[in-house]
């Protein structure tokens, strides 16, 4: 029966080619535009560390008087002050914890007369590498002891290593940062979590990667250049060491719900304890964000992209209403044929199925066209200057999604016309002609 | 032209009519809002920065030892001034469309109780006012004595120049000259008002705050070093920037030129608005596709109706209706359906606008967008229905005598 209906559908579509092309173009345009934007949003809201993200948390404790005296930006206090970060780090209540900040340094290689390289990376503490599962091509990270004694060590990305030392890892060799020599103790494999969740993700979270990692305490000691926002309140200038300026990111690893609730308790206790010292004037309200919740809270997907998604979905809506109208016209035009089939004994359900299959065939054809349009759209997205542009490509699930959306959409659009078609009374139509 | 028979015919096709009207309504709503978004983006890219962009370039250095910044300033200022085509070199903390340097919340009282917004401070040495080409609308030009040494990112107690937009925000309808404002322990007194001075990097409060800048004259020194404002002959700016890089490599080998921020202001502006232009382009593409799909829908349904009514058209022709009567019939029918769609579409357009206002700092949709959207949909409708209507007009009167 199915094969017969499919045959009928194909015959009917071939009979009026212009109409068929109109409908396929409609479905294709709608599906193409919406799948382009759905894919972009999908890759942007993807999990940057799929195996570990469930255990990574960002503690948020707000030291500022409310409402934020200096800024209308609700994210101004998302970062930690140096004293708070160091207190949480030293307390060591979680199985893993690390403080970090964006970094920009000029690196001189051992070669004489070489131009210094201006590179961006991160200043981090020891647990960073084990907590995030950073893969190393050679060597590794540093220890807590290195942190404490402000060791002059550095881990390089494979790209920077290649620039400085060629293809072999430069473990044990030195690079010059400012006036200090740093020993290379690790060379990373390719590791580019997107979005770069551990960075200060205000505004740009995509398309960046770190060229090096260096101990945070060492950087503070040597007064190296920091990157990222520094928000201060009250008097006392903008010194990074004060308890009035927030600028550090902090991540903890918590393996089970018990540890999570214990850490929440610890944060609340810490807040109260600080209140006793005259800090944290707001009422005790610590937060612990899971990695994916943190990205949602930080609005990693830019407003423009979300707006484009809504626009594309609105466009799909117009296309679908269009298809309903066209299918209705097409089906009712065949009232004659339907009434003959009904008079010959076809049940309503069978007529309904026949037209349902015809709608699905249009959906498949529209899906193929939509896929081509979406690939074209994604190609044009990749030409954009934004950091996320390079991520915009389809994976298998999006490919399947395209067809599901196309077929589902057109079958849904076909429901009403098919229902109207199967309601045609056999006798009256036959009499009229 | 009688409308009565058209209504009677449409009543027979209630569902198809409703669908077409619904499609027009959706298209109208998306069209009005997308047009509005395009216009706001394009207006945004035409913002007046208040400075002589074509004659300005910035050079930003990093990586140098902060202890040597006074010496660095002296070397860079004297060396860059010698490059042919350079009219002046000044030290400044930021330039429009570059990275922001001094962003702070201000209050209109010393205690910090009356928070008045977040502004950007441009801190420059005395010559930078003239070099920027700032336009004074009230007060006096900064004097050499206004430039103070810096201990922090701004002087403790300074005479400053604010933009007209900021002055109107802080002290509506009063003379801003001599008024005071504070940020933490820093105290400022307004010495003059500028026509425009765009913030380096947008503003937290959306496009309306882009002009909330404060110009502070100060002495170059440890707290004001590393970013240089070059006033150049516009035609020679690419060569001047190349020469400047080469010169810096010899006089300050430690320093690294920050390529992203060392550009002419024209280039910085182009980069700054790239995203907005791109978005406007995408919206334009969506509008075109939307109108195309709407037209396709109208063509499809109208063709179907023409096909279905061949006999009736033949009868009308046989009874004396002219071809133009038949065309007019279909065009009037389309006009009525589109009218219905537009009424619904305008309500929908406002609903969508309200939603957008909540989520994306957008102003209210101006009313004049609605007639423009309506007119374009009428035009699309009439154009799309013309083909099927002409085909209907071509139906010969003899069709009336044929059965099916």
């Amino acid at each position: 029966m199915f094969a017969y209906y499919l045959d009928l559908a194909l015959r009917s579509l071939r009979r009026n080619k212009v109409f068929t092309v109109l409908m396929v173009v409609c479905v294709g345009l709608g599906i193409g535009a919406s799948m382009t934007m759905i894919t972009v949003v999908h890759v942007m809201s993807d999990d940057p560390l799929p195996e570990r993200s469930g255990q990574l948390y960002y503690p948020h404790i707000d030291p500022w008087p409310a409402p934020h005296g200096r800024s209308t930006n609700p994210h101004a206090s998302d970062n930690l002050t140096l004293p708070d970060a160091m207190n949480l780090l030293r307390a060591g209540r979680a199985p893993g914890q690390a403080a970090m900040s964006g970094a920009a340094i000029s690196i001189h290689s051992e070669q004489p007369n070489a131009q210094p390289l201006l590179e961006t990376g991160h200043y981090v503490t020891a647990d960073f590498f084990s907590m995030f599962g950073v893969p190393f091509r050679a060597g590794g990270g540093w220890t807590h002891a290195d942190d404490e004694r402000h060791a002059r060590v550095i881990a390089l990305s494979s790209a920077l290593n290649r620039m400085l030392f060629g293809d072999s890892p430069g473990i044990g060799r030195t690079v010059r940062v400012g006036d200090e020599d740093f020993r290379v103790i690790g060379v990373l494999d390719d590791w580019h979590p997107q979005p770069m969740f551990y960075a200060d993700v205000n505004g740009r979270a995509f398309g960046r990667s770190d060229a090096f990692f260096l101990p945070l305490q060492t950087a503070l000691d040597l007064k190296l250049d920091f990157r990222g926002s520094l928000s201060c309140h009250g008097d006392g200038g903008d010194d990074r060491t004060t308890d009035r300026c927030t600028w550090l990111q902090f991540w903890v690893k918590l393996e089970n719900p018990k540890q999570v609730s214990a850490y929440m308790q610890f944060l609340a206790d810490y807040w109260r304890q600080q209140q006793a010292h005259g800090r944290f004037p707001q009422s005790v309200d610590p937060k612990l964000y899971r990695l994916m919740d943190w990205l949602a809270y930080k609005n990693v997907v830019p407003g423009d992209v979300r707006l484009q998604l809504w626009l594309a979905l609105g466009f799909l809506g117009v296309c679908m209403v269009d298809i309903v109208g066209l299918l209705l016209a097409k089906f009712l035009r065949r009232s004659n044929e339907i009434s003959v089939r009904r008079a010959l004994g076809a049940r309503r359900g069978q007529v309904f199925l026949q037209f349902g299959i015809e709608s699905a065939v249009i959906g498949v054809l529209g899906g193929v066209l939509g896929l081509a349009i979406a690939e074209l759209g994604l190609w044009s997205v990749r030409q954009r200057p934004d950091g996320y542009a390079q991520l915009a490509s389809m994976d298998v699930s999006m490919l399947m999604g395209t067809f599901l959306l196309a077929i589902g959409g057109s079958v849904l659009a076909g429901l009403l016309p098919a229902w109207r078609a199967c309601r045609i009374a056999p006798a009256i139509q036959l009499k009229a002609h | 032209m009688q409308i009565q028979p058209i209504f009677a015919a449409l009543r027979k096709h209630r569902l198809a009519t409703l669908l077409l009207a619904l499609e027009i309504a959706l298209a109208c709503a998306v069209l009005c809002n997308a047009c509005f978004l395009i216009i706001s983006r394009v207006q945004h890219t035409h913002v007046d920065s208040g400075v002589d962009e074509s004659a300005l370039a910035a050079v930003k250095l990093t990586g140098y030892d902060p202890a040597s910044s006074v010496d660095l300033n002296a070397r860079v200022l004297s060396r860059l001034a010698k490059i042919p085509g350079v009219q002046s070199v000044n030290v400044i903390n930021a330039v429009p469309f570059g990275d922001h340097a001094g962003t702070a919340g201000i209050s209109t009282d010393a205690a910090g109780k009356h928070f008045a917004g977040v502004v950007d401070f441009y801190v420059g040495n005395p010559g930078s006012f003239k070099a920027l080409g700032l336009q004074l609308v009230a007060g006096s030009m900064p004097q050499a004595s206004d430039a103070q040494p810096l201990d922090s990112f701004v002087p403790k107690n300074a005479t400053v120049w604010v933009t007209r937009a900021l002055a109107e925000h802080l002290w509506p309808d009063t003379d801003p000259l001599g008024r005071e404002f504070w940020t933490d322990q820093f105290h400022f007194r307004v010495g003059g008002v500028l026509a425009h001075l765009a913030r380096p990097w947008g503003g937290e409060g959306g496009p309306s705050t882009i002009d909330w800048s404060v110009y502070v004259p100060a002495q170059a020194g440890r707290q004001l070093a590393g970013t240089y404002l070059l006033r150049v002959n516009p035609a020679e700016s690419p060569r001047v920037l190349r020469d400047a890089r080469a010169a810096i490599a010899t006089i300050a080998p430690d320093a690294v030129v920050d390529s992203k921020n060392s550009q002419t202001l024209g280039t910085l502006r182009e980069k700054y608005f790239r995203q907005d232009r791109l978005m406007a382009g995408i919206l334009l593409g969506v509008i075109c596709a939307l109108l195309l799909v709407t037209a396709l829908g109208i063509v499809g349904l109208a063709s179907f109706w023409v096909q279905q009514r061949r006999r009736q058209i033949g009868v009308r022709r046989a009874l004396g209706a002219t071809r133009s009567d038949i065309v007019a019939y279909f065009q009037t029918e389309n006009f009525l359906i589109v009218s219905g769609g537009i009424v619904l579409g305008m309500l929908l357009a406002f609903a969508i606008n309200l939603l957008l206002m909540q989520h994306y700092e957008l102003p209210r949709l101006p009313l004049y967008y609605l007639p423009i959207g309506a007119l374009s949909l009428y035009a699309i409708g009439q154009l799309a229905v013309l083909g099927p209507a002409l085909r209907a007009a071509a139906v010969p009167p003899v069709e009336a005598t044929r059965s099916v």
Side-chain angles (χ1 to χ4, degrees):
Chain A
M1 219 48 179
F2 181 81
Y4 174 59
Y5 289 151
L6 197 66
D7 183 48
L8 276 185
L10 289 177
R11 276 168 193 279
S12 144
L13 291 177
R14 237 173 288 145
R15 202 176 315 142
N16 197 334
K17 292 206 183 71
V18 180
F19 225 71
T20 308
V21 169
L22 276 188
M23 286 193 282
V24 170
V25 166
C26 257
V27 177
L29 279 175
I31 295 293
S34 47
M35 280 317 290
T36 304
M37 286 326 295
I38 290 173
T39 305
V40 169
V41 173
H42 170 76
V43 296
M44 289 182 86
S45 38
D46 226 7
D47 192 336
L49 282 187
E51 282 108 49
R52 292 170 183 268
S53 64
Q55 296 189 345
L56 295 173
Y57 292 81
Y58 191 100
H60 182 206
I61 46 177
D62 188 349
W64 289 27
H68 303 312
R70 245 200 177 193
S71 173
T72 49
N73 180 359
H75 290 294
S77 70
D78 285 350
N79 297 324
L80 293 180
T81 66
L82 183 64
D84 291 324
M86 286 301 143
N87 288 340
L88 295 190
L89 205 59
R90 297 221 170 89
R93 294 300 182 88
Q97 53 247 302
M100 60 213 72
S101 162
I105 55 175
S106 54
I107 294 185
H108 302 250
S109 68
E110 290 163 325
Q111 288 144 352
N113 301 328
Q115 282 280 318
L117 298 166
L118 181 65
E119 295 289 345
T120 58
H122 263 79
Y123 305 129
V124 304
T125 58
D127 283 351
F128 180 91
F129 302 101
S130 58
M131 203 162 71
F132 295 151
V134 180
F136 278 94
R137 218 176 99 200
W142 54 85
T143 62
H144 291 117
D146 288 329
D147 270 340
E148 288 306 321
R149 61 188 174 80
H150 303 181
R152 311 300 200 238
V153 291
I154 190 167
L156 305 176
S157 72
S158 49
L160 182 58
N161 181 73
R162 198 173 314 116
M163 252 191 287
L164 293 170
F165 305 114
D167 282 333
S168 62
I171 302 289
R173 297 176 68 170
T174 56
V175 291
R176 205 162 173 74
V177 178
D179 295 329
E180 294 282 334
D181 280 334
F182 280 72
R183 187 163 51 87
V184 177
I185 59 162
V187 175
L188 271 66
D189 247 334
D190 282 330
W191 189 65
H192 310 287
Q194 293 293 328
M196 198 198 258
F197 64 95
Y198 57 85
D200 188 6
V201 284
N202 286 332
R204 285 191 60 211
F206 292 92
R208 307 192 325 192
S209 60
D210 280 330
F212 66 89
F213 296 94
L214 207 147
L216 176 68
Q217 274 104 324
T218 312
L220 281 164
D221 193 19
L222 297 175
K223 296 198 164 46
L224 297 178
D225 282 343
F226 290 86
R227 273 168 67 97
S229 65
L230 170 73
S231 302
C232 302
H233 69 99
D235 296 350
D238 49 6
D239 189 349
R240 287 190 184 267
T241 56
T242 66
D243 60 4
R244 297 172 173 282
C245 294
T246 55
W247 57 282
L248 282 157
Q249 292 80 53
F250 199 89
W251 286 90
V252 295
K253 179 185 175 187
L254 300 168
E255 286 153 354
N256 52 49
K258 218 174 118 199
Q259 289 181 357
V260 174
S261 57
Y263 204 80
M264 270 301 274
Q265 189 56 44
F266 162 65
L267 289 176
D269 290 344
Y270 179 77
W271 194 308
R272 269 183 224 106
Q273 180 202 332
Q274 291 297 313
Q275 281 182 333
H277 292 91
R279 297 183 64 220
F280 287 84
Q282 296 189 54
S283 57
V284 179
D285 181 27
K287 293 195 179 70
L288 203 50
Y289 291 92
R290 223 191 257 272
L291 195 154
M292 292 311 287
D293 298 339
W294 177 249
L295 293 180
Y297 167 70
K298 292 292 261 183
N299 291 328
V300 166
V301 180
D304 266 7
V305 172
R306 270 178 294 151
L307 198 61
Q308 286 164 27
L309 175 66
W310 286 115
L311 207 69
L313 290 179
F315 179 59
L316 180 65
V318 174
C319 289
M320 283 303 144
V321 175
D322 207 67
I323 293 294
V324 176
L326 291 177
L327 282 176
L328 190 70
K330 189 168 174 65
F331 291 171
L332 290 189
R333 192 175 188 171
R334 282 149 64 193
S335 301
N336 210 3
E337 174 198 322
I338 299 165
S339 54
V340 172
R341 281 200 67 211
R342 293 273 283 124
L344 289 177
R347 285 192 301 274
R348 278 193 183 158
Q350 286 170 321
V351 175
F352 190 80
L353 188 65
Q354 182 199 337
F355 288 108
I357 287 174
E358 195 168 326
S359 316
V361 171
I362 292 171
V364 172
L365 293 176
V368 173
L369 181 67
L371 196 67
I373 294 177
E375 285 296 347
L376 198 72
L378 288 172
W379 175 83
S380 77
V381 169
R382 284 196 290 274
Q383 310 305 310
R384 295 188 195 174
D386 308 270
Y388 62 80
Q390 293 316 312
L391 297 174
S393 58
M394 270 198 191
D395 54 14
V396 179
S397 65
M398 281 290 109
L399 209 74
M400 302 301 286
T402 309
F403 277 100
L404 278 182
L405 188 68
I407 297 171
S410 27
V411 167
L412 217 61
L415 280 184
L416 183 73
W419 181 74
R420 283 297 291 257
C422 75
R423 301 265 304 169
I424 287 172
I428 295 170
Q429 281 292 332
L430 280 181
K431 214 163 38 181
H433 293 278
Chain B
M1 187 83 222
Q2 281 188 320
I3 298 181
Q4 203 59 40
I6 300 179
F7 273 123
L10 283 182
R11 225 170 290 140
K12 292 255 176 208
H13 300 279
R14 246 170 281 156
L15 194 59
T17 311
L18 195 73
L19 283 172
L20 195 55
L22 194 64
E23 193 194 328
I24 302 279
L26 270 176
C28 178
V30 177
L31 183 73
C32 287
N33 280 290
C35 280
F36 181 46
L37 282 172
I38 292 182
I39 304 283
S40 356
R41 295 274 166 161
V42 170
Q43 272 172 355
H44 184 50
T45 63
H46 287 139
V47 69
D48 184 355
S49 66
V51 303
D52 285 347
E53 283 164 33
S54 61
L56 292 173
V59 172
K60 188 174 179 184
L61 305 182
T62 56
Y64 57 89
D65 180 4
S68 69
S69 45
V70 176
D71 179 40
L72 179 81
N73 275 344
R75 271 182 291 161
V76 173
L77 288 178
S78 66
R79 177 64 187 83
L80 293 191
K82 288 192 192 117
I83 296 173
V86 172
Q87 291 156 4
S88 70
V89 186
N90 286 282
V91 193
I92 198 164
N93 68 337
V95 292
F97 314 117
D99 281 351
H100 66 116
T103 309
I106 55 168
S107 56
T108 47
D109 63 326
K113 291 271 187 289
H114 296 102
F115 180 69
V118 177
V119 304
D120 269 286
F121 289 88
Y122 281 98
V123 185
N125 70 346
S128 60
F129 190 93
K130 204 164 153 254
L132 283 168
L134 294 173
Q135 205 190 338
L136 196 69
V137 292
S140 54
M141 294 284 284
Q143 303 301 311
S145 57
D146 290 325
Q148 297 184 28
L150 287 167
D151 289 327
S152 183
F153 80 111
V154 281
K156 278 249 182 273
N157 201 341
T159 304
V160 300
W161 278 253
V162 299
T163 58
R164 190 158 36 189
L166 181 61
E168 272 162 18
H169 164 71
L170 294 177
W171 308 287
D173 302 323
T174 49
D175 182 12
L177 292 180
R179 302 297 293 255
E180 298 164 291
F181 62 96
W182 288 262
T183 176
D184 288 349
Q185 79 274 40
F186 303 103
H187 166 245
F188 309 99
R189 181 184 298 277
V190 176
V193 180
L194 306 170
H196 289 287
L197 177 54
R199 303 171 69 152
W201 197 257
E204 283 175 6
S208 59
T209 68
I210 191 149
D211 229 7
W212 286 10
S213 308
V214 178
Y215 174 83
V216 191
Q219 289 173 16
R222 201 188 154 116
Q223 290 285 341
L224 181 58
T227 307
Y228 303 94
L229 179 75
L230 276 62
R231 195 172 171 95
V232 296
N233 183 351
E236 294 178 278
S237 54
R239 181 193 51 79
V240 168
L241 271 176
R242 269 200 310 279
D243 288 359
R245 278 165 175 275
I248 281 162
T250 58
I251 57 165
D254 279 1
V256 183
V257 178
D258 180 345
S259 305
K260 190 173 132 271
N261 286 298
S262 300
Q263 306 278 354
T264 63
L265 258 63
T267 313
L268 289 176
R269 183 188 179 111
E270 199 269 331
K271 274 193 193 150
Y272 183 89
F273 288 116
R274 190 175 284 169
Q275 185 68 32
D276 291 284
R277 278 199 309 274
L278 193 80
M279 185 72 187
I282 289 172
L283 288 168
L284 204 66
V286 168
I287 288 179
C288 290
L290 191 72
L291 292 181
L292 178 74
V293 166
T294 311
L296 289 185
I298 294 172
V299 170
L301 268 190
S303 312
F304 165 62
W305 278 335
V306 169
Q307 192 74 30
Q308 210 181 28
R309 297 174 190 164
R310 280 184 76 84
R311 247 186 99 198
Q312 286 87 332
I313 296 167
V315 171
R316 278 200 69 194
R317 293 278 283 124
L319 290 176
T322 59
R323 277 166 199 252
S324 53
D325 284 338
I326 304 293
V327 173
Y329 175 89
F330 281 99
Q331 290 194 317
T332 314
E333 185 185 66
N334 181 266
F335 182 83
L336 291 175
I337 297 174
V338 173
S339 301
I342 283 171
V343 171
L344 191 65
M346 286 180 177
L347 296 177
L348 208 58
F350 264 103
I352 292 178
N353 179 237
L354 281 181
L355 261 177
L356 288 178
M357 273 164 65
Q358 271 177 13
H359 295 284
Y360 309 92
E361 298 162 350
L362 266 179
R364 185 173 289 282
L365 185 71
L367 278 174
Y368 61 84
Y369 276 86
L370 297 178
I372 295 174
L375 276 182
S376 42
L377 281 171
Y378 278 126
I380 290 286
Q382 293 298 315
L383 277 177
V385 87
L386 195 63
L390 286 176
R391 235 174 302 135
V395 173
V398 71
E399 195 85 11
T401 63
R402 287 186 193 145
S403 62
V404 189

